Amino acid sequence: MNEYEAKPNIDNSTIGENVNLSSFTCITDSKITSSSSIYRGAKVIKSNMGYKSFVGDGSKLDNGVLDDYARIGRYNHIYFTHLGRHTYTGQDTVIMHTHIGSFTSIAWGVTIGAAEHDFSRLTSHTFLYNPYDELNNETIYYDRFKEKCEIGNDVWIGANSTILRGVSIGDGAVIGANSVVTKDVPPYAIVIGNPAKVVRFRFEKHIIEKLLKLKWWNFEDEFIRKNCDLFSREPDNRVLEEIEKLRYR
């Protein structure tokens, strides 16, 4: 590190072994598990990072949880959000007050669960919940995150998509690029557009039912590693039966 690079700023945090902390990083009131990485200029505040998770350059993880191998791309803002194991985000993504399952793929420029303005009131301005303007007499008039936002497992969210609060995305669903999702998406559905609509399902109904029963995303990493070839195939009856046989023998 040269004289112009600032050392990581660590305050009231637990740092595990073999953690990679780049220059200009700030870690406050957080637990960073072993082999994780926090890259240049990133901030981690009141958060927990699992094994081999990482936070990319210039990103902010605020009151968040990253399970093992979860990773946040560059210049993200992840706020009061839980990312399941092996879930990842692309660059310039914003996620707020959302629970996301495992093995979910989130592209760049995605917005999930952003705070809502209540335009049914006389004004939609932030002074109804933000004290900065010194107008609300320290009263918060409504909760911007009242509606839940949940993303399932093995979901693929395409670039520049927006998912509104109050929406639930089912396991295995695909959100096409540039979509605006205003309603719940069923498991394994493919949706596109503004507002997003179902165009088809990834697999036939009986295969979807078997996948939802199998819940492969809960399998241990070692099992997936040993049987990775099966996961690379189209999930027909034979493949799913083989996975079940190996899993429960």
Side-chain angles (χ1 to χ4, degrees), residues 94-138:
V94 176
I95 308 176
M96 298 183 174
H97 284 258
T98 299
H99 187 278
I100 302 175
S102 300
F103 295 95
T104 284
S105 306
I106 301 171
W108 56 87
V110 171
T111 299
I112 301 174
E116 295 184 334
H117 291 247
D118 186 351
F119 53 81
S120 69
R121 299 169 186 268
L122 186 148
T123 179
S124 62
H125 194 274
T126 62
F127 75 74
L128 292 182
Y129 56 79
N130 190 331
Y132 179 82
D133 297 284
E134 299 182 338
L135 295 173
N136 65 10
N137 302 308
E138 299 183 354

Side-chain angles (χ1 to χ4, degrees), residues 14-31:
T14 302
I15 310 296
E17 296 181 355
N18 300 316
V19 170
N20 173 35
L21 301 178
S22 298
S23 57
F24 297 99
T25 55
C26 294
I27 302 97
T28 305
D29 298 326
S30 297
K31 181 180 179 181

Side-chain angles (χ1 to χ4, degrees), residues 19-152:
V19 170
N20 173 35
L21 301 178
S22 298
S23 57
F24 297 99
T25 55
C26 294
I27 302 97
T28 305
D29 298 326
S30 297
K31 181 180 179 181
I32 315 300
T33 304
S34 63
S35 300
S36 296
S37 297
I38 302 174
Y39 291 102
R40 185 181 177 89
K43 295 181 179 180
V44 177
I45 304 166
K46 297 181 179 179
S47 297
N48 292 330
M49 293 179 59
Y51 175 75
K52 226 167 185 179
S53 59
F54 76 65
V55 178
D57 294 347
S59 288
K60 183 177 182 181
L61 176 64
D62 188 350
N63 283 269
V65 175
L66 302 184
D67 287 346
D68 294 351
Y69 293 96
R71 51 198 196 271
I72 295 173
R74 295 178 176 178
Y75 311 115
N76 280 212
H77 184 190
I78 310 298
Y79 181 64
F80 281 90
T81 289
H82 185 148
L83 270 64
R85 59 192 258 264
H86 298 283
T87 287
Y88 67 90
T89 70
Q91 184 168 313
D92 298 316
T93 285
V94 176
I95 308 176
M96 298 183 174
H97 284 258
T98 299
H99 187 278
I100 302 175
S102 300
F103 295 95
T104 284
S105 306
I106 301 171
W108 56 87
V110 171
T111 299
I112 301 174
E116 295 184 334
H117 291 247
D118 186 351
F119 53 81
S120 69
R121 299 169 186 268
L122 186 148
T123 179
S124 62
H125 194 274
T126 62
F127 75 74
L128 292 182
Y129 56 79
N130 190 331
Y132 179 82
D133 297 284
E134 299 182 338
L135 295 173
N136 65 10
N137 302 308
E138 299 183 354
T139 298
I140 297 175
Y141 286 90
Y142 64 92
D143 180 2
R144 299 172 294 156
F145 300 103
K146 180 180 179 180
E147 300 294 332
K148 292 183 178 180
C149 194
E150 297 186 359
I151 313 296

